[in-house]
Amino acid sequence: MLNSILTASTTGDITFQSIILCTLASLVLGFGVSAVYMFKGKYSKNFVITLALLPALIQLVIMMVNGNLGAGVAVMGAFSLVRFRSVPGTSKEILNIFFAMALGLTTGMGYIGYAVIFFIIIGIVLL
């Protein structure tokens, strides 16, 4: 049940159905991260939208890289540039950004079951 849905492919190609399934899971989990972040706290509308969409964007990038080392290093460099070009936030905001990114990475690798379990555990701790 917790195996990657991408390992079923023998050719290494990603199917349209797996992209849609992973994207829907990323969006649901992203909205969950936003809900956890908004619980009993001050927040801005733009940051909440960012948290909701970040897992899906990360997931799509990871699925498109699909094992290509050069593209993976380029993506890692782009993520680090985005972090240093943004306004520093509070520790709670940074934690939630990493939470959303971790969910996006997990669903991008096809481990939707692990992403859900990870969301439940970390979400409960944050609440």
Side-chain angles (χ1 to χ4, degrees):
M1 175 186 142
L2 297 177
N3 292 336
S4 174
I5 63 168
L6 303 179
T7 57
S9 175
T10 57
T11 62
D13 293 332
I14 300 172
T15 64
F16 181 71
Q17 291 83 9
S18 64
I19 291 175
I20 295 298
L21 182 63
C22 288
T23 303
L24 289 175
S26 294
L27 287 171
V28 168
L29 292 171
F31 283 111
V33 171
S34 292
V36 168
Y37 175 74
M38 290 188 305
F39 186 73
K40 288 189 179 180
K42 297 171 110 178
Y43 55 88
S44 71
K45 179 181 170 184
N46 290 333
F47 189 70
V48 169
I49 292 170
T50 300
L51 282 179
L53 297 179
L54 187 62
L57 295 174
I58 301 271
Q59 170 258 318
L60 284 171
V61 169
I62 294 303
M63 288 185 93
M64 293 303 110
V65 169
N66 195 21
N68 185 342
L69 182 62
V73 170
V75 168
M76 182 182 66
F79 285 152
S80 66
L81 285 176
V82 168
R83 170 63 190 108
F84 290 111
R85 297 284 298 170
S86 62
V87 176
T90 65
S91 59
K92 182 181 176 184
E93 290 173 344
I94 293 170
L95 174 73
N96 281 283
I97 288 172
F98 283 131
F99 184 27
M101 286 181 66
L103 290 174
L105 288 168
T106 308
T107 56
M109 293 175 59
Y111 294 105
I112 296 173
Y114 284 124
V116 170
I117 291 170
F118 175 68
F119 170 74
I120 291 169
I121 293 170
I122 301 298
I124 289 172
V125 171
L126 287 175
L127 290 176

